[in-house]
């Protein structure tokens, strides 16, 4: 494989045990970058929608010196609009958001009618093995050094939870009693 996208997709295929994926394309809002592709695995975990992006790592950001991010979402829902929201965020915020742990994304409106949530926070993805989502080498022949991707997780939040995170930090929110995958849950704060 000499194509970085093919290497990344092959890694996701191994990570997901060969589970069938649906591909969704998000047209680029930037003439300098290609669109974002989102892979949706509905059967990966029982009752969960899992989505991964490809396209964030094609942008540049001052914080991305050695590794670039791609996004992962794992929610208890069958509604593909969650994956579409992930694509929208990936396209609209790549290069401007570092997607570092503790960062938030405020959509300002409900993601879907099934949920009151309007925002997301970035943290470690809901994947079983850290080796499966950090330092993925997608270097192609002729590339100097390594081209490494880290998969980061996005978790839906209520507006009040986003404000709590801003005031108290990610650890304080994460240690509350809540299920970060439940899109119908009550606020944790």
């Amino acid at each position: 494989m000499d194509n970085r996208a093919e290497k990344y997709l092959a890694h996701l295929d191994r990570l997901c045990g060969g589970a069938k994926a649906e591909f969704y394309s998000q047209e680029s809002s930037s003439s300098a970058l290609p669109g974002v592709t989102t892979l949706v695995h509905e059967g990966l975990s029982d009752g969960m929608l899992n989505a991964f992006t490809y396209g964030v790592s094609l942008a540049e950001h001052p914080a991305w010196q050695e590794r670039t991010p791609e996004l992962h979402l794992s929610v208890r829902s069958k509604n593909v609009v969650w994956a579409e929201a992930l694509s929208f965020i990936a396209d609209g915020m790549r290069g401007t958001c570092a997607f570092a742990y503790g960062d938030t994304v405020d959509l300002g409106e409900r993601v879907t009618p099934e949920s009151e949530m309007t925002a997301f926070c970035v943290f470690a993805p809901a994947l079983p093995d850290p080796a499966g989502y950090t330092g993925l080498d997608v270097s192609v022949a002729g590339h100097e050094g390594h081209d490494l991707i880290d998969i980061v997780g996005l978790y839906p939040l209520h507006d009040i939870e986003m404000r709590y995170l801003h005031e108290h930090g990610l650890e304080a929110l994460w240690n509350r009693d809540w299920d970060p995958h439940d899109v119908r849950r009550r606020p944790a704060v």
Side-chain angles (χ1 to χ4, degrees):
M1 279 181 282
D2 58 357
N3 178 305
R4 98 187 278 280
E6 288 174 350
K7 283 185 160 188
Y8 178 68
L9 294 176
H11 180 80
L12 289 184
D13 191 50
R14 286 189 301 277
L15 189 66
C16 296
K20 185 177 181 276
E22 297 289 330
F23 289 75
Y24 294 88
S25 296
Q26 169 76 35
E27 191 173 311
S28 181
S29 59
S30 166
S31 60
L33 293 168
V36 171
T37 300
T38 300
L39 292 78
V40 178
H41 297 269
E42 289 189 48
L44 187 58
S45 306
D46 192 33
M48 302 287 279
L49 181 139
N50 282 276
F52 297 86
T53 63
Y54 180 73
V56 176
S57 63
L58 300 174
E60 294 182 10
H61 188 282
W64 303 341
Q65 298 300 311
E66 297 178 17
R67 298 172 182 212
T68 55
E70 287 297 344
L71 311 180
H72 173 250
L73 176 71
S74 181
V75 292
R76 198 166 291 110
S77 176
K78 299 262 185 209
N79 193 338
V80 77
V81 171
W82 289 101
E84 291 170 357
L86 188 68
S87 296
F88 177 78
I89 291 166
D91 174 62
M93 299 195 72
R94 59 184 168 169
T96 60
C97 179
F99 293 109
Y101 290 3
D103 284 351
T104 58
V105 176
D106 183 7
L107 297 180
E109 62 183 306
R110 294 166 78 170
V111 178
T112 69
E114 75 182 318
S115 176
E116 298 286 327
M117 297 178 189
T118 61
F120 293 87
C121 72
V122 180
F123 193 45
L127 298 170
D129 178 16
Y133 63 82
T134 59
L136 312 177
D137 190 347
V138 293
S139 302
V140 295
H143 183 274
E144 284 189 34
H146 288 290
D147 185 1
L148 303 175
I149 290 176
D150 286 342
I151 299 172
V152 299
L154 261 68
Y155 296 89
L157 296 178
H158 291 276
D159 181 64
I160 193 169
E161 293 169 329
M162 182 180 63
R163 288 182 278 143
Y164 181 88
L165 186 154
H166 291 166
E167 279 185 41
H168 303 282
L170 177 61
E171 186 176 349
L173 174 64
W174 207 258
N175 289 329
R176 308 282 301 187
D177 184 22
W178 64 300
D179 178 353
H181 307 286
D182 184 356
V183 298
R184 293 177 186 90
R185 66 178 171 77
R186 297 177 52 81
V189 295

